[in-house]
Amino acid sequence: MALDDELARELKKPLGVLIPNEHVTYENLQNYAEKSAKTISVGDCTCIRLIAFGIIPHIIVIDGIEQRNKNVHSITAIESALELEESLSLSCENTAGNISSDSLGKIKLALVSTKKVILKVNGEEDLLTLAFCWFAPDNSIIFYGQPNSGMVIIEVNDMVRIKAESFIRRIRGE
């Protein structure tokens, strides 16, 4: 099912706190990461920025594309920053504008893993943020990029979960 215009507009609004690019610093991000049950990063650029600050998320979600441009170097840079033997690498198929059953299954596996997880998405990872909002434990922190604006930080709680579930059901036509 394709996103309708109204839903697409709603999803362009930040789901959490937007930190403008000029204020995306180690100090501003570390405060969130320290107190989280799980730290989840969605998007290649966001993952690279966090790793550059020395913040290694529990779950990294990437697709090798930054602002519609293929960037295989981002995957290599992210993988080299992690101890690969101490991490779990998963992959899933997820078409643009969709949240596939394959993605949902891999997200659930990632969330119960005791290892760091790299979830490589063949397709598009943007909407998977919603699935993490729905399934991540309370007090998890999700980081994702807001194009040309900054980084969004979501603290998972019941309100976020209800909103994410509503969006997912609309996306899936339920």
Side-chain angles (χ1 to χ4, degrees), residues 10 15 19 33 47 81 83 95 115 141 170:
E10 287 181 57
L15 292 171
I19 298 181
C47 295
E83 296 292 331
T95 58
K115 296 180 174 188
I141 299 295
R170 287 172 63 192

Side-chain angles (χ1 to χ4, degrees), residues 2 8-9 12 22 24 34-35 45 48 83-85 92 94 100 109 119 121 125 131 137 140 146 148 151 170:
R9 271 193 305 279
K12 286 186 182 187
E22 61 271 15
V24 175
E34 281 179 346
K35 65 180 182 178
C45 185
I48 289 169
E83 296 292 331
L84 291 179
E85 67 276 0
C92 66
N94 193 71
S100 70
L109 279 175
L119 176 57
V121 179
E125 88 283 48
S140 292
Q146 186 76 15
N148 305 314
M151 192 178 292
R170 287 172 63 192

Side-chain angles (χ1 to χ4, degrees), residues 14 16-29 32 45-46 49-50 53 143-153:
V17 176
L18 173 64
I19 298 181
N21 277 324
E22 61 271 15
H23 296 290
V24 175
T25 63
Y26 171 79
E27 293 77 18
N28 288 339
L29 301 179
Y32 290 99
C45 185
T46 300
R49 288 178 91 177
L50 290 171
F53 288 130
F143 297 93
Y144 74 91
Q146 186 76 15
N148 305 314
S149 297
M151 192 178 292
V152 178
I153 300 172

Side-chain angles (χ1 to χ4, degrees), residues 47-86:
C47 295
I48 289 169
R49 288 178 91 177
L50 290 171
I51 290 169
F53 288 130
I55 300 169
I56 310 297
H58 296 103
I59 301 170
I60 290 172
V61 184
I62 54 176
D63 64 0
I65 298 172
E66 292 180 43
Q67 292 192 344
R68 305 207 195 298
N69 296 312
K70 191 140 185 81
N71 185 354
V72 293
H73 301 296
S74 64
I75 294 174
T76 305
I78 290 165
E79 287 177 333
S80 67
L82 302 177
E83 296 292 331
L84 291 179
E85 67 276 0
E86 295 180 19

